[in-house]
């Protein structure tokens, strides 16, 4: 069972690893239909002729899957994951149907609140990876931790 | 009808405005169920007691809606919207059921490809706003434009 951590429990250099999720072609097309309705994310023929030379997930879909992996134990913050913002979000490689993704996170910085003792912000680097370690997405998030 | 632009048509300072979309409570809960399954994004009682003091969309949902607004004419790039990455993604205010969102984008930088004439990258600042101009999300995207 995952132990959920409070603000005082975090320190720079800590690492966390999520479970994994496998992406299907149907999920890629369904996400795109709602949030990134470009033919090369939705239709096989357009995908083959498109910029990714085959069906690939919207980068925002990969970001959503990463969030799910973090919420489901990949970044165990008591009180939940509340993001203030993200920097350096990069999509390094297309995510294909059948790809299995895992998220690894490292605490970069622990920033106590000036006004609220025991609370603050974390800066966390998260890499979303295939089983062989290939990084498909990376980002640095700022998370609000309430204590 | 939106005129779609090629790489050579872009210059710093150009601005674009999207259509609009209204977010429902059902959409907020459905997105959260798939990508951000925290009780305060999915259940009314937990939302009231949670960090946003009421139901609010996952920030990744707001990002997805913004992408849809950009794809549907908000950022008219011939060949489509292909993102290399995003910086300075910030969630300024919770997005609530019934909120209507519009995306305004400004071209910050036009970076020609060193190897491929007529192609390159754009750096674009996008603000997602309510009808009264309140900014709920902002980001700076790097987009690959094929010519």
């Amino acid at each position: 069972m995952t132990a959920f951590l409070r603000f005082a429990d975090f320190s720079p250099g800590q690492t966390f690893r999520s479970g994994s999720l496998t992406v299907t072609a149907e999920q890629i097309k369904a996400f795109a239909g709602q949030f990134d309705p470009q033919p090369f994310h939705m239709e096989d023929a357009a995908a083959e002729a498109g910029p990714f030379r085959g069906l690939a997930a919207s980068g925002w879909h990969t970001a959503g899957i990463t969030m799910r992996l973090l919420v489901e134990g990949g970044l165990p913050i008591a009180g939940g994951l509340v993001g203030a913002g993200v920097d350096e979000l990069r999509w390094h490689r297309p995510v294909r149907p059948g790809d299995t993704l895992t998220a690894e996170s490292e605490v970069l910085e622990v920033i106590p609140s000036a006004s609220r003792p025991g609370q603050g912000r974390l800066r966390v680097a998260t890499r979303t990876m295939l089983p062989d370690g290939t990084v498909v997405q990376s980002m640095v998030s700022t998370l609000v931790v309430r204590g």
Side-chain angles (χ1 to χ4, degrees), chain A residues 84-127:
Chain A
V86 172
D87 285 288
E88 301 174 39
L89 174 58
R90 298 288 177 272
W91 294 296
H92 301 277
R93 212 211 70 140
V95 171
R96 307 290 187 185
D99 280 352
T100 297
L101 305 181
T102 302
E104 280 194 0
S105 298
E106 178 180 356
V107 177
L108 300 179
E109 205 175 346
V110 176
I111 307 159
S113 165
S115 56
R116 298 181 185 184
Q119 305 190 25
R121 291 178 175 225
L122 300 180
R123 294 261 297 167
V124 178
T126 297
R127 299 187 305 163

Side-chain angles (χ1 to χ4, degrees), chain A residues 23-119:
Chain A
V23 191
T24 69
E26 291 67 32
Q27 290 166 352
I28 288 173
K29 293 174 183 178
F31 183 95
Q34 283 190 81
F35 299 111
D36 192 347
Q38 304 192 82
F40 55 78
H41 285 311
M42 296 191 295
E43 299 158 15
D44 293 330
E48 288 304 324
F52 303 113
R53 301 285 164 204
L55 190 65
S58 169
W60 297 107
H61 189 185
T62 304
I65 292 168
T66 300
M67 184 64 185
R68 180 175 180 143
L69 289 168
L70 296 179
V71 167
E72 291 184 331
L75 192 54
I77 301 177
L81 283 165
V82 177
V86 172
D87 285 288
E88 301 174 39
L89 174 58
R90 298 288 177 272
W91 294 296
H92 301 277
R93 212 211 70 140
V95 171
R96 307 290 187 185
D99 280 352
T100 297
L101 305 181
T102 302
E104 280 194 0
S105 298
E106 178 180 356
V107 177
L108 300 179
E109 205 175 346
V110 176
I111 307 159
S113 165
S115 56
R116 298 181 185 184
Q119 305 190 25

